[in-house]
Amino acid sequence: QVLLQESGPGLVKPSETLSLTCNVSGDSISTTNYYWGWIRQTPGMGLEWIATLHHTGNTFYNPSLKSRVTTSVDTSKNLFSLTLTSLTAADTALYFCARHTGLRYFDSWGQGTLVTVSS
Amino acid sequence: EIVLTQSPATLSLSPGETATLSCRASRTVNSYLAWYQQKPGQAPRLLIYDASTRATGIPARFSGSGSGTDFTLTISSLEPEDFAVYYCQQRSNWPPFTFGQGTKLEIK
């Protein structure tokens, strides 16, 4: 059974950069059909897909966030990461990582990490 | 971008009753729609994918139907653990993958 665990700073200042990591256990991040995604949740916007990446480097972004998002994968550590720049209060959210099998649906999720953007 | 509209926003029912939740897409998503369940303090859990296929380990009381723009999640004989928020998600036309705003199923 795959387990995903997000980690991140919790509190970030406006205009700064957020870096989150998702550690994957119980399965290889390099499995061909597995993609890995980031989704965030706010009371106002609900669930919002941010990006999905493959261990080969192939990455897909939400057009609304693309200019501020970067992703990476570390196959040696079985983890993947998200960077979001130029933060504002609107980026305050619960951030989830998830397995996005075959670029279809999100079939396994981490517990989420709360990120607050505030000075 | 495909917008998914869920109704009702809140559904109040008693255990043992049947819940019918709706998800309507702004344009056709064929059958490429999923349903998720989210309980307080937890991540969403995949229930149904491709409109009508139950995910691994999901009880038979959960069923999905529909195609094109109109979809239904039916939960028969509600159990106490079924009271949660339910979301739909489409994978037909992306980016972006989009979610509905959710339906809260609460105990009456």
Side-chain angles (χ1 to χ4, degrees):
Chain A
Q1 177 188 355
V2 66
L3 293 175
L4 299 95
Q5 180 65 59
E6 306 86 351
S7 59
L11 178 64
V12 190
K13 290 182 169 54
S15 79
E16 291 189 344
T17 296
L18 171 65
S19 294
L20 297 176
T21 297
C22 183
N23 282 274
V24 179
S25 59
D27 213 338
S28 171
I29 203 168
S30 301
T31 301
T32 300
N33 197 38
Y34 288 161
Y35 291 73
W36 305 92
W38 290 99
I39 303 105
R40 67 183 183 181
Q41 184 172 32
T42 63
M45 290 289 290
L47 290 164
E48 181 180 29
W49 171 70
I50 301 169
T52 291
L53 64 150
H54 192 253
H55 72 91
T56 55
N58 204 10
T59 308
F60 308 91
Y61 299 104
N62 189 323
S64 69
L65 295 167
K66 185 176 182 178
S67 64
R68 300 195 290 132
V69 172
T70 305
T71 60
S72 63
V73 60
D74 187 333
T75 56
S76 67
K77 296 181 179 179
N78 220 43
L79 60 79
F80 60 103
S81 301
L82 171 76
T83 299
L84 182 64
T85 63
S86 304
L87 294 173
T88 70
D91 295 309
T92 294
L94 184 59
Y95 285 77
F96 294 99
C97 59
R99 190 175 68 184
H100 194 178
T101 302
L103 277 174
R104 298 169 67 224
Y105 305 106
F106 303 96
D107 55 13
S108 294
W109 297 61
Q111 282 302 297
T113 185
L114 181 62
V115 175
T116 302
V117 180
S118 175
S119 55
Chain B
E1 173 176 327
I2 293 180
V3 175
L4 300 176
T5 302
Q6 293 185 240
S7 61
T10 304
L11 183 59
S12 300
L13 294 170
S14 301
E17 294 190 298
T18 296
T20 302
L21 287 68
S22 175
C23 178
R24 176 165 289 178
S26 58
R27 60 181 188 272
T28 183
V29 297
N30 299 294
S31 294
Y32 301 137
L33 188 109
W35 291 92
Y36 299 83
Q37 176 194 67
Q38 187 177 31
K39 297 180 181 179
Q42 297 185 17
R45 175 176 70 146
L46 180 65
L47 296 176
I48 301 285
Y49 64 90
D50 288 344
S52 60
T53 303
R54 278 189 302 277
T56 303
I58 302 304
R61 64 180 183 274
F62 291 90
S63 63
S65 63
S67 65
T69 61
D70 291 298
F71 299 85
T72 301
L73 173 68
T74 301
I75 314 170
S76 58
S77 300
L78 283 166
E79 298 283 346
E81 62 266 27
D82 298 336
F83 292 90
V85 181
Y86 292 84
Y87 296 94
C88 53
Q89 177 239 320
Q90 66 83 22
R91 70 169 182 97
S92 175
N93 190 288
W94 62 273
F97 297 94
T98 54
F99 295 84
Q101 82 280 14
T103 289
K104 181 180 181 180
L105 177 59
E106 65 177 23
I107 299 177
K108 187 173 182 179

